[in-house]
Amino acid sequence: MTSTLDDTATTPTEGGVPELTHWIGGKAAPGGSGTFGDVTDPATGQVTKHVPFASAEEVLDAVAAAKAAFPGWRDTSLSKRTTILFRFRELLNARAPELAELITAEHGKVLSDAAGEVARGQEVVEFACGMPHLLKGGATENASTGVDVHSVRQPLGVVGIISPFNFPAMVPMWFFPIAIAAGNTVVLKPSEKVPSAALWIAELWREAGLPDGVFNVVNGDKVAVDGLLTSPDVKSISFVGSTPIARYIYETGTAHGKRVQALGGAKNHAVVLPDADLDLAADQAINAGFGSAGERCMAISALVAVGDIADTLVDKIAERARGLRTGDGRRSCDMGPLVTKAAQERVSGYVDAGEREGATVVVDGRQGDFDADGEGFFVGPTLLDHVGTDMSVYTDEIFGPVLSVVRVDTYAEAVDLINANPYGNGTAIFTNDGGAARRFQNEVEVGMIGVNVPVPVPMAYYSFGGWKNSLFGDTHAHGTEGVHFFTRGKVVTTRWLDPSHAGLNLGFPTNA
Ligand code: NAD
């Protein structure tokens, strides 16, 4: 099936590189600012598209379209809203491979991983299809004599979503299915590195019958982000990205009176206790360290080996890492490239620094035989041993396929390491001791925890979010916290006149 994106959201240019658009009020809107960015195919290094960067005025156009669509959408019955959501789900199921191909072409992750990302996003659509149940309020009869009370939750209005490059479909889908099902209208600002998935999704919504203006996309950079952060018509911001930007989004958005959830970066540790199944731990260290080339906020980047198992564990991981095939995600590879040349250079630079600072490079991905044509942005799986907590490979979020082994003597040292870290997104423990695992989940200061599960991303009906510098704001993504974020509560106290209640009483209302 051909991509619907080819028909409307791109226009050919003279140089043969297609130009993407924005999506405003139900149709493609060509960029008018005159500023564009390059979109590259990370496996070949080729520039494949130009993406327009919205001006402040173009952002306001998108917000105005969303604002105009809000009253009609808010007043559309829940059953009509969820009928459209079901249709969106069916269309996405039928066309998921098309979206996965688009993700691989701009992000670089292998096709099976891109398909997995779409599936995890689809789970949130399915959760949001249950919105009639999720929005049910409470009711109390006769709270006072002849007085009833009930609660409802209502949509906020126009909501802004700003997403990172590493999940072009799934991260926006953590938010917009719930926001839309709850009656809000959306302006999404995707990452300028991977803009096509959002435009593809916009066209799918149109096909599903979503009214014009309910879902809008503005492409761009800081100008577009600041437009959303400062517009009084945008009532909330859902942001996912690096910690410094998340902090900025939270501070600026809340200063402008908005509700903000800003999910930031991560440095996730996996602890391997001496009693663990070391083959399972080695398999999972590979999956969690090198899946999506380490460009996941839930990737394991620090492996904490407790006691005398470290040599055996490092050998097992090294053997597996050497067997991985890195190359073009459209071929039968295990791992694709990094997203940009800058990311490739940054990650290699961290490995150089680690080596200089005294870490042992057990498996070196800086050079390799990569299965791709052209000048792709590759770094192969890299395993560092004897990593110290003062080395930059340990202190910084690398966001690449680099697994650092830190050796400690005791369980307590491992927990202290994690709790001293400024991030608190995800962590895992590998052990066969239920008591140790139970103590770990109780003591560790991290939002999402896996027990013999390396990437503990919660299902859509739970909420996703970290602690400390991994999340600013107090509401996590999707699940019931997502429903709460995209709605405001109201409590209604009702009395229907009865002749027996006649008469004045200026006292404070009490239960009588
Ligand atoms: P990023 O912070 O560079 O960009 C995120 C978004 O912010 C993009 O849309 C980008 O255009 C915008 N942006 C960039 N610079 C900006 C600025 N100066 N002012 C305003 N907006 C700006 O992040 P990224 O590189 O796209 O994504 C990787 C990061 O995202 C990693 O740190 C990763 O851990 C994090 N992440 C976190 C989660 C989570 O759930 N906590 C999930 C996915 C990714």
Side-chain angles (χ1 to χ4, degrees):
M1 190 176 297
T2 47
S3 164
T4 50
L5 188 63
D6 294 338
D7 305 328
T8 50
T10 59
T11 49
T13 54
E14 272 181 23
V17 177
E19 195 172 293
L20 297 173
T21 65
H22 309 294
W23 186 270
I24 299 176
K27 57 181 188 300
S33 71
T35 311
F36 291 86
D38 288 343
V39 180
T40 46
D41 179 337
T44 64
Q46 294 297 306
V47 174
T48 53
K49 292 164 197 154
H50 291 145
V51 58
F53 285 2
S55 63
E57 292 72 33
E58 287 173 308
V59 176
L60 293 183
D61 286 349
V63 172
K67 189 179 178 188
F70 175 62
W73 184 243
R74 174 195 60 201
D75 295 340
T76 299
S77 73
L78 269 168
S79 65
K80 283 194 183 134
R81 278 193 236 149
T82 47
T83 299
I84 293 171
L85 219 70
F86 270 110
R87 220 177 285 141
F88 180 87
R89 174 190 181 272
E90 293 307 300
L91 287 169
L92 187 56
N93 268 350
R95 302 221 193 128
E98 204 182 299
L99 180 54
E101 277 173 31
L102 214 47
I103 293 169
T104 296
E106 293 183 359
H107 176 282
K109 62 179 75 176
V110 299
L111 270 175
S112 57
D113 194 30
E117 150 172 11
V118 175
R120 293 305 305 257
Q122 180 75 306
E123 287 170 10
V124 185
V125 178
E126 288 164 0
F127 173 73
C129 283
M131 194 53 73
H133 180 72
L134 293 163
L135 281 187
K136 277 193 322 196
T140 305
E141 193 182 39
N142 246 9
S144 183
T145 308
V147 174
D148 303 330
V149 181
H150 73 275
S151 66
V152 293
R153 296 202 69 85
Q154 297 185 334
L156 306 178
V158 180
V159 302
I161 300 170
I162 300 160
S163 54
F165 82 82
N166 67 323
F167 284 107
M170 183 189 79
V171 164
M173 289 171 79
W174 280 352
F175 306 106
F176 69 70
I178 295 174
I180 288 175
N184 300 281
T185 57
V186 170
V187 180
L188 165 64
K189 206 297 284 174
S191 165
E192 64 278 27
K193 299 185 181 94
V194 293
S196 295
L199 294 168
W200 188 93
I201 286 168
E203 298 209 26
L204 208 69
W205 273 124
R206 182 175 64 178
E207 207 168 317
L210 192 71
D212 293 348
V214 175
F215 183 79
N216 306 275
V217 178
V218 285
N219 282 305
D221 57 3
K222 180 170 165 52
V223 174
V225 171
D226 286 346
L228 291 175
L229 283 176
T230 54
S231 164
D233 289 327
V234 175
K235 301 303 176 193
S236 73
I237 296 286
S238 301
F239 171 88
V240 180
S242 58
T243 286
I245 310 294
R247 195 192 305 270
Y248 166 75
I249 298 283
Y250 183 74
E251 288 171 358
T252 313
T254 52
H256 283 81
K258 297 179 203 318
R259 193 176 276 202
V260 180
Q261 49 182 178
L263 285 70
K267 189 79 191 179
N268 304 315
H269 298 64
V271 176
V272 184
L273 294 188
D275 73 314
D277 178 327
L278 295 189
D279 284 305
L280 172 78
D283 284 346
Q284 301 300 353
I286 293 282
N287 298 343
F290 304 134
S292 198
E295 290 173 324
R296 290 181 185 146
C297 66
M298 291 292 276
I300 293 294
S301 58
L303 196 73
V304 187
V306 180
D308 59 4
I309 54 161
D311 287 341
T312 313
L313 185 61
V314 168
D315 286 348
K316 285 179 183 290
I317 295 171
E319 188 193 334
R320 287 161 170 79
R322 290 191 189 103
L324 294 178
R325 193 177 170 82
T326 303
D328 188 323
R330 289 157 292 221
R331 300 183 184 177
S332 57
C333 295
D334 301 299
M335 207 179 87
L338 290 160
V339 68
T340 56
K341 180 129 196 82
Q344 178 195 29
E345 288 169 357
R346 192 175 46 76
V347 172
S348 293
Y350 271 113
V351 181
D352 296 343
E355 192 172 30
R356 266 198 317 274
E357 292 163 20
T360 311
V361 183
V362 182
V363 180
D364 190 348
R366 287 170 291 186
Q367 308 291 332
D369 185 15
F370 304 120
D371 182 7
D373 302 324
E375 299 293 319
F377 312 134
F378 292 101
V379 174
T382 301
L383 180 63
L384 303 180
D385 194 7
H386 300 287
V387 170
T389 52
D390 54 347
M391 297 180 188
S392 57
V393 275
Y394 178 77
T395 55
D396 296 2
E397 180 183 34
I398 299 178
F399 227 53
V402 180
L403 189 59
S404 297
V405 177
V406 181
R407 296 172 176 233
V408 298
D409 293 328
T410 63
Y411 161 87
E413 275 179 75
V415 173
D416 286 349
L417 261 188
I418 298 172
N419 287 350
N421 199 275
Y423 298 106
N425 215 38
T427 188
I429 188 164
F430 288 89
T431 180
N432 284 316
D433 180 341
R438 186 170 182 277
R439 190 172 151 193
F440 181 74
Q441 58 192 268
N442 180 256
E443 291 177 345
V444 79
E445 292 169 15
V446 172
M448 294 170 284
I449 297 159
V451 177
N452 297 316
V453 172
V455 184
V457 175
M459 301 299 289
Y461 41 90
Y462 286 91
S463 297
F464 181 107
W467 286 16
K468 302 192 277 189
N469 286 352
S470 295
L471 188 139
F472 301 91
D474 53 11
T475 312
H476 294 197
H478 61 68
T480 49
E481 290 196 41
V483 178
H484 201 269
F485 183 81
F486 287 117
T487 53
R488 283 189 294 187
K490 232 177 211 177
V491 180
V492 185
T493 304
T494 307
R495 171 192 286 136
W496 290 107
L497 279 186
D498 179 314
S500 66
H501 283 80
L504 298 178
N505 178 356
L506 271 62
F508 193 71
T510 55
N511 301 335

